């Protein structure tokens, strides 16, 4: 008896890093209780009390500290995985006879019980937000606890299905938008910091647009948003766009819509892509609303450029402008890795079917801009008629569709790289 | 080779009723084209043109006739299933070593490509409605083509996840509701037919309530709705409730809320349960709004009763009222099958944790009422404090929680049944 | 004195049917109580209890029967009129010295206290609707009691100011509109009866439009609505437009928007004109939305035509079509009275600046159509660029702007009229 | 001729401060053009082009500078007044025979044509806001040009009718309210300055409420708003309420709702009272929502107190607290002028039927608080059951309903005042 108890204690204790024999902390015991509730919740057939129990589980989860959460993740990984024997048998049976019954059994046994747990938690009010938060917390632990990846695999699969484009609502964000949403823009903006409501207001004036995707279950919470400025021509400098005291222009006379900032808001939805849909949808909508717009383009950072230059020990002192423009052109068209251009922003836009149009010198003079890319920025052009073809070129032929000027500069970089 | 070709042709041809060797019909060729588009859509990595292609696929699907749809279902069953060898290998690998990588591979290979196809179709505007319609069409073919069940397994799994309670919106339906929604109530009402807008209007007056669950992706479309009447006491007759010209009562004085009709609207969502959540949510909300309400109960049909009586050849001529009330009490408490009471309405409410309160003679004098259950109806009482316990009794102990009167009547039925 | 008193008593007593000296009825006493409340309400300076008292007055008014209402109207006419001496003195003072103080006094003494009474009643929830209803009731009594016109003068002045175009909201009415509003369309439609919700639904399909003006204080209540059909050419027959089972056309291909029915809904707002704003606003909006539309026109009844023909004893038996078309052309262009064309529908559209385009034979074969105008209908064309000029021609030069065909037919009518 | 011209020029020129003989400025000529348009607009019978012309007039008005506006006001005062002879005759006729026809003529001739001008301007989009702005501008000129008061009399009469309580919408303002409205709270707050959005956010948390009246024609624009805090007991210090970093309390446990700030927003609506309705409505609504609330009271400034003390040369150095509390009690209960307590805030609340409950020492330590009233504040209690009686006491008996403590302190002040 004593031994069995000790065994159990060891087994359980090891999860929370507690030494065998030690009393489990209050937080860990809370996690255990939560796991018990979820087991009942997921097994419940009649679902008679599903809603109440789901609410309880959310309250319990939100009461966990970091230790409790970790313990909870461990339990999810260990106790809510598929049954190994059952999976193997179901796979063998279906391999022998792919009948509907065997197919059903295969699907049932392979799906980890965690997924049902998450679906049940989602039934409570605020469930979806809680699960997005849960994944956020989980992602923060994965590096040190890689075996928890199985939990993330299930959760991200489910969230990917739930945040399907078909369920997202495209909404214009302007000065009539609830402050509760606007303050999130200020908090989340990742590219060009927004300095409070006054700064934000300028970005929502009549010569600007801001659009976001929203999910019905996450009220007031943008998933991703894009900021657009209407200008006369393809811009080479982000300064005038960000200047808070600039004159408001007339959108019906602008020639070019610049996507100057795209921000994903929910770290708990990392890896679930919305930005590509957003840009194309917004471009199409603006095209219909303002026929005067001829060019849809970004003014984008090159976040990995400086690090790449410095890692290679390239000297940029002599004729820095030409040198850097050439190197950037090379970097954005020829630095492939695993089937993708290494720069993450380039990868995103080129993968979406944009064309690499122009490298701009001294386009972002902010500390961050200089630190990332010597102040260089780049225009990606979205020509909706070419997006499909450009994308295919990129994916199938590993070719970056770019302007002649960029191509020339990239070639001129080759001597510099010793290529 | 020729034989194999002929075999395939026969296989395929038989679907569309075409003789072997015949050219495939236009409709079938449309289905083939749709399948090709979907293959691209699902394999597409960069998703550059996902939205446009998803729209195209919906248009193509909606253009299919019955033959084309059947062919399309067949292709989904045959060509979009998991890879048998890959599944077996992944299951074996994971069985040997349940590492995150093996877990990810297992999940990836076991999930039928159909699911990704459906997720991609859902991205287009109207996608969710189209998929619900697709399942409706599919269900209509399953009896004759049971091998298509694998498609339904995937689709219903996905829809069950998407129509999770957490994504549903409870809305009151009244005379200010858009006509587009109200006409659906008239069309769908399954229990007590609604005779046009005038009849419906009476059911939405101040002494009534109607609530429905809605999904954000299905505008104006109720998934399930419940009709409630406020009355003085547990009702024994549905006639006064349905009478179109009755006086409108004062909801703040009523003692009892009667759920006199619950209707699931979407055949394409068959098997995905909403009604249990709806009743309990509505009961809880009404309880908070109108503290005068003491009883929450149904006045429900007994759809299988007459058939059951007649099948057993029971005579009900002598003292028909007593005889029938006793038999109904027995039928609703003791006629189990596969762990459930056989009557479908009883199974629903008892499974939800309701209590069987009273059998009512001549409670539904309509042709349908008499045909189904000799005009008998029954009250199930929802006492929110007892719902969990009642449910457990039902599920775990296979016991129907019922009033003393029902129990007495059920016992008195035993001689009649030769039990 | 005594006689005067008796006169007054008789005057007042006769209203309630009570003989002089008789006890006043319960209803009349209710009216007296209401008048007392209103006197307090209107005199109240600090307005401390204005809202509560206003609510009370509405409840009291709604409890009056016809007798009570009549008595109430009489009291309003008698006791809530301006003070004769004060008015004269104020007018004389202002005439001598038009100072701001004298102007203020003049305005204050001339404004009947009734107006303040109505403004105070309006403060209660539902006040505006009650006042519109009050005027409706009052209008019904004016013929027999012309001295009550003073009450109507004040009330209609106030309502005219409150229902100023600037406060009206133009709303599209379609199948997503609340049933509470749609049922009012069915009830109010004055030109071409709507036969229930099914008939209405056809009139709200994609090749139709319906717009109404709404006032924020009258929820769900259209003030006026117009029904529009999109057709290929100027229509000569209302039958196809009203046919409930017709095919739904494509609005983007239509050439002509026909305003085939315009209905004012609130008899309590009689004389306050909305229709002219509505037609022009709708024409302008449709023009912007559907650039394919080239013609905006009505297909209108000629309600006074047959009566006019018969009154003049004109024979229409020989060659009835030509005869009637000619007479109608004459009637619509030359039958003036008091500066206006006598036909009320013609007066409305011509006064709005429309052009009389075409008289159509057998355009409305309904009983009503034949009874009113031998089945003839007429097209008025709204050419927004000409509306101002046409209107001036009509108002200043008493000239009907019309097509050459109408003018020719009108001339040919002259021999028939012995002119 | 030349002389006459010069006379006119002088007459006209003097209005805009231009010397005789000088050419009128561009701005003044714009005002003349506007006046011509308005004359046409108001005289227009058929109203065929009313909407377009109203729009034009608004554009023209908004283009005026101060000189043009002044000239426009002068023209309104001079040329759009009633006809003196016609008024006198109509008054005499109606005095002789108060028939409906004479009543109608009286009303028509006495109403200044300005009123119709304003009603027509109101028909254009944005008309109401423009007129509110116009009155704001006009009020700013009245001191120097008192003869313009006649224009204000008409405009304020009209606005008073249009902004009738029955047309106002009570809306809760919280963090989900559009930023466009919230920024107006920050701009308008007149009692306790709001320091940006962060400060405002604290005032909209769960233990606070903010409500405003809105008019349908003034989107996003509060007319008046009140800020409420839920606290445990009648507060003696505004500091904790305004503290931005305070803990958020539970509204269901609070005993007292404090109205700590009431702000009228539109100077163009000066003199049109909304605040009294707002406080009582909010008190009634909160009472229904949160039955735990027992006291509804203000914590109000005494804006005129210090000035009153200093004007009378009262010494407050010895025992300043007691002295000031006594003097304030006297000031708030016995300093009458023209039938009203002189302190404007006291006048407002006492006139609304509130009870003067307590004078609070060091309740507002801000510079403004000390400057106005030595930091004293006062609680007015709104007991809805007593409001009517209190109001009558105040209006009819000129008596301030107050607590025993206030009365005692006021009496103790008498020696100090040499009374």
């Amino acid at each position: 008896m004593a031994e069995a108890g000790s065994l159990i204690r060891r087994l359980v204790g090891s999860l929370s890093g507690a030494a065998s024999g030690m009393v489990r902390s209050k937080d860990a015991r809370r996690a255990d209780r939560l796991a018990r509730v979820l087991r009942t919740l997921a097994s419940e057939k009649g679902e008679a009390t599903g809603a109440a129990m789901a609410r309880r589980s959310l309250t319990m989860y939100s009461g966990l500290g970091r230790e409790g959460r970790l313990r909870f993740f461990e339990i999810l990984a260990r106790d809510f995985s598929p049954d190994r024997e059952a999976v193997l048998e179901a796979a063998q049976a279906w391999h022998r006879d792919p009948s509907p019954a065997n197919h059903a059994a295969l699907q049932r046994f392979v799906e980890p019980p965690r997924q049902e747990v998450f679906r049940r938690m989602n039934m409570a009010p605020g469930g979806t937000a809680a699960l997005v938060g849960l994944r956020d917390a989980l992602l923060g632990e994965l590096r040190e606890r890689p075996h928890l990846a199985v939990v993330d695999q299930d959760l991200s699969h489910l969230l990917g299905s739930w945040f399907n484009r078909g369920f997202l609502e495209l909404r214009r964000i302007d000065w009539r938008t609830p402050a509760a949403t606007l303050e999130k823009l200020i908090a989340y903006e990742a590219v060009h910091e927004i300095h409070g409501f006054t700064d934000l207001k300028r970005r929502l004036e009549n010569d600007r647009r801001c659009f976001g995707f929203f999910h019905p279950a996450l009220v007031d919470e943008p998933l991703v948003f894009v900021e657009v400025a209407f200008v006369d021509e393809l811009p080479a400098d982000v300064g005038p766009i960000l200047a808070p005291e600039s004159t408001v222009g007339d959108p019906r006379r602008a020639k070019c819509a610049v996507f100057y900032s795209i921000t994903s808001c929910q770290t708990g939805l990392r890896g679930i892509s919305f930005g590509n849909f957003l840009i194309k949808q917004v471009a199409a909508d603006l095209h219909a609303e303002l026929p005067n717009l001829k060019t849809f383009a970004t003014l984008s950072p090159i976040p990995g450029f400086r690090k790449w230059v410095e890692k290679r020990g390239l000297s940029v002192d002599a004729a820095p402008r030409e040198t850097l423009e050439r190197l950037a052109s090379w970097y954005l068209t020829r630095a492939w890795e695993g089937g993708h251009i290494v720069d993450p922003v380039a990868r995103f836009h080129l993968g979406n079917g944009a064309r690499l149009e122009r490298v701009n010198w001294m386009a972002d003079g902010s500390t961050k801009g200089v630190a990332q890319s010597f102040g260089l920025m780049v225009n990606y052009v979205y020509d909706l008629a070419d997006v499909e073809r450009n994308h295919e070129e990129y994916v199938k032929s590993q070719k970056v569709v770019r302007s002649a000027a960029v191509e020339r500069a990239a070639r001129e970089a080759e001597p510099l790289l010793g290529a």
Side-chain angles (χ1 to χ4, degrees), chain A:
Chain A
M1 267 304 279
E3 267 189 74
S6 139
L7 190 77
I8 288 168
R9 235 173 293 125
R10 244 183 307 143
L11 195 75
V12 170
S14 66
L15 299 169
S16 58
S20 160
M22 269 187 59
V23 191
R24 243 173 298 127
S25 79
K26 216 170 154 187
D27 204 21
R29 275 177 285 137
R30 279 202 206 100
D32 291 350
R33 269 201 303 278
L34 168 57
R36 274 198 300 277
V37 166
L38 291 176
R39 216 163 280 132
T40 314
L41 182 61
S43 71
E44 198 69 13
K45 267 162 202 156
E47 300 175 348
T49 53
M53 209 179 278
R55 273 195 294 275
R56 208 182 313 154
S57 73
L58 281 204
T59 311
M60 291 172 82
Y61 173 74
S62 73
L64 294 183
R66 193 187 162 210
E67 188 196 343
R69 274 202 305 274
L70 268 177
R71 183 169 181 83
F72 174 55
F73 296 155
E74 294 289 350
I75 298 174
L76 283 176
R78 193 191 56 198
D79 296 354
F80 290 84
S81 280
D83 180 308
R84 279 159 81 179
E85 301 308 325
V87 164
L88 188 57
E89 279 167 32
Q92 287 164 339
W94 184 72
H95 186 260
R96 278 193 306 274
D97 171 16
S99 69
N102 283 343
H103 179 263
L106 175 67
Q107 297 298 331
R108 190 170 60 250
F109 285 117
V110 169
E111 184 182 277
R114 281 184 292 272
Q115 295 212 9
E116 186 61 18
V117 163
F118 295 140
R119 282 193 293 260
R120 297 292 175 108
M121 289 175 79
N122 190 64
M123 288 178 181
T128 312
L131 290 171
V132 170
L134 191 153
R135 182 159 180 253
D136 188 12
L138 177 63
L139 288 172
E141 308 291 353
L142 280 192
R143 186 190 297 260
E144 289 188 26
R145 290 172 184 76
H147 61 287
L148 294 179
V150 294
V151 182
D152 181 49
Q153 286 161 17
D154 292 331
L155 192 47
S156 66
H157 179 79
L158 214 51
L159 291 173
S161 185
W162 283 343
F163 285 80
N164 184 289
R165 167 68 186 97
F167 301 133
L168 305 187
E169 193 194 336
L170 179 71
R171 273 194 231 152
R172 179 162 174 197
I173 295 167
D174 60 20
W175 198 236
R176 296 210 61 218
T177 298
T181 299
L182 295 185
E183 73 173 345
K184 277 155 195 166
L185 265 60
I186 298 174
Y188 294 144
E189 160 69 71
V191 188
H192 302 292
E193 195 189 345
I194 302 174
H195 305 277
F197 276 86
T198 310
D199 187 11
L200 176 59
K201 190 180 178 185
R202 178 63 191 90
R203 301 197 189 186
L204 303 174
E205 293 283 5
N206 201 28
D207 60 347
R208 304 295 173 88
R209 286 287 189 283
C210 181
F211 293 92
F213 273 142
F214 292 78
H215 189 277
L218 295 186
V219 180
D220 292 333
E221 274 287 350
L223 307 182
V224 59
F225 64 91
V226 62
E227 296 168 67
V228 188
F230 298 133
V231 293
D232 290 338
E233 49 179 17
L234 196 67
D237 184 359
V238 79
I241 292 174
L242 299 179
E245 73 291 350
S246 55
T247 320
V248 175
D250 182 347
R252 286 161 309 176
R253 293 189 180 172
K255 292 275 179 298
C256 177
V258 197
F259 299 78
Y260 67 94
S261 182
I262 301 161
T263 298
S264 287
C265 304
Q266 312 294 331
T267 49
L269 296 176
R270 196 200 293 164
I272 303 168
S273 185
F274 310 116
N276 52 347
F277 292 113
L278 182 62
I279 291 179
K280 284 166 201 164
Q281 184 72 55
V282 167
D285 290 0
L286 290 178
H287 183 69
E289 185 197 341
L290 297 165
N292 47 295
L293 292 172
K294 302 300 172 203
T295 310
F296 296 86
T298 75
L299 182 57
S300 301
I302 322 173
F305 179 50
R306 185 164 185 160
K307 212 174 271 177
W308 177 82
V309 167
E310 290 175 352
K311 203 173 163 189
R312 298 192 146 223
L314 299 169
S315 159
V316 296
D317 294 338
R321 176 171 180 169
E322 284 188 357
T323 307
L324 284 169
E325 286 177 0
R326 288 169 184 176
L327 287 174
S329 299
W330 197 97
Y331 168 70
L332 294 168
T333 53
R334 285 154 167 85
W336 293 85
E337 200 175 272
H340 283 291
I341 286 291
V342 295
D343 188 79
V345 171
R347 194 187 315 160
F348 172 75
H349 291 299
L350 298 171
N352 286 342
R355 181 175 77 239
L356 177 55
E357 187 66 18
R358 195 171 71 195
V359 171
N360 300 291
W361 173 249
M362 281 309 289
D364 178 6
S366 73
T367 314
K368 187 179 163 194
V370 173
Q372 279 188 349
S373 59
F374 308 97
L376 264 62
M377 298 189 85
V378 63
N379 303 116
Y380 300 100
V381 169
Y382 279 84
D383 196 332
L384 293 180
D386 295 337
V387 151
E388 185 163 358
R389 203 174 49 226
N390 294 349
H391 165 76
E392 299 242 324
E393 289 274 320
Y394 179 78
V395 169
K396 299 205 177 145
S397 322
Q398 306 245 320
K399 206 188 128 188
V400 170
V401 177
R402 69 272 201 177
S403 65
V406 166
E407 172 57 16
R408 198 179 323 117
R411 278 198 199 140
E412 289 165 353
E414 297 195 347
L416 304 168
L417 289 154

